Amino acid sequence: SRVPVLPVMGNGEDDFTWFEHYHALPKGARSYYSYRYGDVAFFILDTNLVDRDEEDPSFRPTQAKWFEDALRENADADIITTTVAHGL
């Protein structure tokens, strides 16, 4: 298929096993990542914050810093969109 699929972690992917098994994520991506398609910048964020905080107390600040840096790197995008599974 030539249609990009940008999966986002939901409440059923607590341990990443099936998420990583069924999705080909960009290199280096885990539960949050960005993808650029022409003039559109997509940002996929992990909002399973309670689960991630239990695994790694530095998860929130690490993802926030990554997001800020990624937004700066894509400041020239005409369209910026963010996808989450749970409201923030």
Side-chain angles (χ1 to χ4, degrees), residues 1-4 6 23 28 30 33 40 51-52 63 65-66 77-78 86:
S1 170
R2 293 184 185 257
V3 177
L6 304 173
H23 302 293
R30 185 96 196 245
Y33 59 95
V40 182
D51 292 336
R52 299 302 166 255
Q63 179 176 240
K65 176 156 181 8
W66 167 85
D78 290 334
H86 310 284

Side-chain angles (χ1 to χ4, degrees), residues 1 5 14 20 29-30 32 37 40 49-50 53 57 66 78 84-85:
S1 170
V5 174
D14 290 337
E20 291 176 339
R30 185 96 196 245
Y32 56 91
Y37 188 79
V40 182
L49 300 176
V50 173
D53 285 343
W66 167 85
D78 290 334
V84 299

Side-chain angles (χ1 to χ4, degrees), residues 32 56 58-67:
Y32 56 91
D56 177 7
S58 68
F59 179 81
R60 288 183 201 219
T62 300
Q63 179 176 240
K65 176 156 181 8
W66 167 85
F67 189 37

Side-chain angles (χ1 to χ4, degrees), residues 2 7 14 22 38 46 64 72 83 87-88:
R2 293 184 185 257
D14 290 337
Y22 286 109
D46 185 346
R72 269 192 294 281
T83 304
L88 296 174

